[in-house]
Amino acid sequence: MRTPPEARDDTDDHLRSLSEDLTGYRIGDAYQLIEPIGGGGTGTVWRARALQGDGEVAVKLLREDLMAEPKAVSRFVQERAILLMLRHPHIVRVRDLVTVGTSLGLVMDLVEGGSLRDHLHEQGTLAPAAAATLLAQVADALSAAHRRGIVHRDLKPDNILLDRDDGRLHTRLTDFGIARVLDTPSMTTPGALVGTANYIAPEAVYGGRPAPSADVYALGVVLFELVTGRPPYAGGPAWAILRRHVDESPQRVEGMPEAVWRVVEACMDKRPGRRPSAKELAHTLRVVAKRTADDQPLPPQPVIHELPSFEPPLPKPRPPTSSRSRMTVLAVVLAAVTVVAVPAWRIVHRPSAETAVQRPDAPPPSADGQAAKPQPSGLPSAGGSRTPGGARLGAGAPTRSAGPVEAIVWSAWQCADQYTWDIGHPLLAQPCHQTSGVAVRMVGHAQALPAIQADISISLMDADSGAVVDGPHTCTELMFTDFAPNHDCGPFDATPPRGHRYFVLQKWVYTNRAILPGGQVSGPEFDW
């Protein structure tokens, strides 16, 4: 459970590069920067000397590239405003807000003992009594913040600093940069997910309004982590961890004292109203510390979570049906889903390697295999949705007259090896293609957490030149829910020039979480 050497090396290199730039820099007549001592997503923390005295302070510098981001600057200034409101022995005191070149600096008390994260890396795990004693102090700090209507929103060991008084460790809560004053409008983009995946309360995953109970949930996660050496849902990408917060319950580790386990269960209750207040939690943790005074630390527990396996929801072959038959089948399926409560996403279809494809002038066949009557322009037919003008997307031109059905042999579907994810992305994507002698067919599969909404586009790309050959075909405002976590964009058919190498490119943008960047995934290359 110690920091990997390569991670420490990266941090040290970054801090050394900063040290060469600003060491000795004077901030007016008040402070002089000495050396960088830490950093995070919004800036770097420096040790500095107070020129009007002999004391040292910490100066948190906002990254210069963020100065062009109004929300980042607002959050940085908000941190000062919030911390100036809070005066508590277990909260880092803010002294000043200064300008440093083209950046901003937040001057705070210097806390020398590192973070609780550093302490955990050194120890592996903490004795239950030690963990409860430290977190009782954090609960006291949260109680003071909650009384003023302030929610921290990013409680984790990294944001709990340590100092020593008479040889005993004391906590100092810091980094209220993304905290929210409950009585003021939020500066966060509506629907944005704010925090760190391992510590986010399940209601926050759904975009719920931040509340003190979310901080209590995170404190329960930290208690579990201090005693076992890992968070309860650790392992894999952020989307998998978030899903566990919603769907799973923490599992007691062998050897964990009953008193500690009861606190974890209470804090991590899925129902926010059932969690204790921070004030109640502080009292309970001090009782737990006394009851577990003789308990020894547990050995660090391994991360046991694995990524869920995903089978691409490829369509299965459907027998051709008439419009009346299709409506009857749809009614039966909907009734079955309603009665037995089977999630709709399990009713999926997989295309076969050989699919009867209509010529552009042929209507869809009926249940008995005979050509059906042409459908009125603008109505959907089996095999694709229609544009406003009546043309079927991915299935050729609109139906015009009766004619023979021509069987075309398609290759098997070729897809990206697996759903592809990036850290921080709540959406998985998998582009696929199949070919025939006359066309290339492409489809994009997607799976995401509930409440995610996205626009997805599919394009056929020339592998050599990188040019778009066909598309983009766009599927807009796809909403993912508990009962519909999967969506397909397509299939779409293209007739690119022969003798080239191609691949399918799937892109997406989030339409209800603007703070998240979009993504893209490439399918396997193929010759046609």
Side-chain angles (χ1 to χ4, degrees), residues 313 333-334 336-338 340-349 481-487:
V333 170
L334 289 177
V337 172
T338 303
V340 302
V342 176
W345 61 270
R346 293 189 180 276
I347 304 173
V348 295
H349 306 280
T481 67
D482 282 322
F483 290 98
N486 301 293
H487 283 293

Side-chain angles (χ1 to χ4, degrees), residues 237-243 307-308 310 421-422 425-428 449:
W239 63 262
I241 296 171
L242 295 176
R243 169 62 83 177
L307 288 179
F310 293 102
W421 57 268
D422 290 315
H425 270 294
L427 183 145
L428 301 168
L449 291 171

